[in-house]
């Protein structure tokens, strides 16, 4: 590594342990796509292992200095480096409507935004794998009843099977982050279309968890629940007591009540 002046505001923590980079690349199942997009390749530690896979590897990187580095050091990436902000980039520009997997040692400062953006594009993303700060990776995979079960867990698991794979310690990064990291894989469900109004589902989940200590009867007041519906025992519960399936049922009930 001949250039390490990490930019904090871009969440730059470069992997120095090649075996971890390889382990992350190996989390891809390579089923259901033949293109992979790596978010935030930096100096290409993970990219190198992706390039060995029987898929087409693309990268998207916001930092022009990293883009220059990749251009010089990875001729195999020629024409496949997107010098843009993932959160603002329209993937159709390069990929049309082709399905692709997303992977990365992600910039932790925008972790949740990356997940939300992926969920918006779920029709084209059969698989999503990579590394976040441990707490975020765990939260995404968490089941009901736990303190950290929340919006991210329900929304991600509504469409994807989420698996927490392994934990990575601080000392394999330059510079080391303040927290441990966790690697996960989301595999889109075979049938990922929900049997309810999906837009309403997103809104209900967010509204319920925004006041997570309240019962649903209180937190979902804005939906003008009819007296009849309010009697339903599901409204005695707090959001962390509901599974994904329960949230779907809840959404159906609210829709039937008329919004
Ligand atoms: N994958 C590399 C670098 C990880 S650090 C490694 O493991 O060593 C995170 C990387 O994400 C940095 O290179 C940073 O420049 C990049 N990044 C930060 N915000 C981004 C964004 N919005 N879109 C694309 N890349 C981004």
């Amino acid at each position: 590594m001949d250039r390490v002046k990490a930019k904090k505001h871009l969440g730059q923590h470069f992997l120095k342990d090649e075996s971890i980079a390889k382990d992350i690349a190996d989390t891809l199942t390579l089923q259901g796509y033949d293109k992979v997009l790596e978010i935030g390749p930096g100096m290409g530690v993970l990219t190198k292992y992706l390039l060995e896979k029987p898929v087409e590897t693309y990268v998207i990187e916001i930092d022009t200095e990293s883009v220059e580095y990749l251009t010089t050091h990875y001729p195999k990436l020629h024409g496949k480096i997107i010098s843009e902000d993932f959160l603002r980039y329209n993937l159709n520009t390069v990929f049309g409507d082709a399905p692709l997997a997303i992977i990365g040692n992600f910039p932790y400062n925008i972790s949740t935004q990356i997940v939300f953006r992926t969920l918006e594009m779920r029709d084209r993303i059969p698989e999503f794998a990579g590394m976040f700060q441990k707490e975020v990776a765990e939260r995404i995979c968490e089941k009901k009843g736990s303190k950290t079960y929340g919006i991210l867990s329900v929304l991600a698991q509504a469409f994807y099977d989420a698996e927490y794979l392994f934990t990575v310690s601080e000392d394999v990064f330059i510079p080391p982050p303040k927290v441990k990291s966790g690697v996960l894989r989301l595999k889109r469900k075979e049938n990922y279309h929900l049997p309810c109004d999906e837009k309403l589902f997103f809104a209900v989940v967010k509204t319920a968890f925004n006041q997570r200590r309240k019962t649903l009867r209180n937190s979902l007041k804005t939906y003008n629940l009819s007296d009849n519906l309010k009697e339903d025992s599901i409204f005695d519960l707090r959001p962390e007591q509901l599974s994904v399936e329960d949230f779907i049922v809840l959404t159906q009930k609210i829709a039937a009540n008329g919004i």
Side-chain angles (χ1 to χ4, degrees):
M1 255 184 236
D2 48 0
R3 182 218 120 205
V4 181
K5 186 82 185 81
K7 303 186 183 81
K8 215 175 164 189
H9 68 287
L10 295 179
Q12 291 186 339
H13 294 280
F14 300 110
L15 258 176
K16 61 176 180 185
D17 184 331
E18 300 251 338
S19 71
I20 305 266
K22 181 176 184 306
D23 290 346
I24 296 175
D26 286 344
T27 62
L28 291 175
T29 65
L30 308 178
Q31 286 161 13
Y33 52 86
D34 51 23
K35 292 181 171 58
V36 171
L37 175 64
E38 183 191 353
I39 301 175
M43 287 178 285
V45 180
L46 170 59
T47 322
K48 188 163 57 183
Y49 292 97
L50 295 172
L51 287 168
E52 291 176 0
K53 305 268 174 203
V55 283
E56 264 188 275
T57 298
Y58 289 75
V59 298
I60 183 163
E61 173 58 66
I62 200 171
D63 175 28
T64 48
E65 214 182 322
S66 294
V67 167
E68 271 171 41
Y69 182 96
L70 293 163
T71 310
T72 330
H73 291 79
Y74 293 88
K76 270 186 167 177
L77 277 180
H78 183 75
K80 294 181 176 154
I81 302 177
I82 307 167
S83 183
E84 297 275 352
D85 176 348
F86 171 72
L87 297 178
R88 292 161 181 266
Y89 187 67
N90 181 350
L91 294 180
N92 292 353
T93 317
V94 166
F95 300 104
D97 57 7
L100 45 113
I102 288 193
I103 193 164
N105 163 19
F106 299 112
Y108 296 174
N109 53 333
I110 54 166
S111 297
T112 46
Q113 293 169 73
I114 289 175
V115 178
F116 282 125
R117 185 105 176 99
T118 299
L119 292 175
E120 280 169 20
M121 298 190 293
R122 58 190 176 276
D123 279 329
R124 67 160 336 128
I125 303 177
E127 191 162 87
F128 176 97
M131 186 150 65
F132 288 112
Q133 53 274 57
K134 181 168 184 262
E135 186 248 326
V136 171
E138 282 175 341
R139 192 144 34 103
I140 293 168
C141 302
E142 199 63 80
K143 297 291 177 207
K144 75 167 184 179
S146 124
K147 256 196 187 150
T148 50
Y149 179 69
I151 298 175
L152 271 186
S153 342
V154 177
L155 296 182
Q157 292 173 43
F159 307 102
Y160 291 86
D161 291 320
E163 219 182 322
Y164 184 92
L165 299 173
F166 56 92
T167 302
V168 175
S169 74
E170 300 85 328
D171 55 9
V172 300
F173 299 90
I174 308 172
K178 291 207 174 68
V179 291
K180 291 203 182 308
S181 299
V183 174
L184 57 67
R185 177 176 56 223
L186 303 179
K187 237 181 127 27
R188 197 175 59 198
K189 294 181 178 176
E190 193 108 355
N191 180 4
Y192 65 97
H193 297 289
L194 307 185
C196 66
D197 177 337
E198 294 187 347
K199 241 177 127 180
L200 182 60
F201 175 82
F202 272 80
V204 166
V205 172
K206 285 183 183 172
T207 312
F209 277 108
N210 278 339
Q211 302 188 60
R212 65 180 292 142
R213 285 156 176 267
K214 294 194 176 171
T215 64
L216 298 174
R217 190 168 293 111
N218 282 316
S219 60
L220 298 179
K221 262 189 188 143
T222 47
Y223 288 102
N224 288 326
L225 311 172
S226 67
D227 289 342
N228 203 8
L229 184 59
K230 266 191 263 182
E231 307 256 299
D232 192 311
S233 59
I234 197 168
F235 290 100
D236 296 334
L237 301 175
R238 292 183 170 73
E240 70 266 19
Q241 297 174 288
L242 270 66
S243 65
V244 170
E245 290 69 31
D246 296 332
F247 270 107
I248 291 172
V249 172
L250 176 64
T251 305
Q252 290 166 339
K253 287 182 179 182
I254 292 175
N257 170 74
I259 308 155

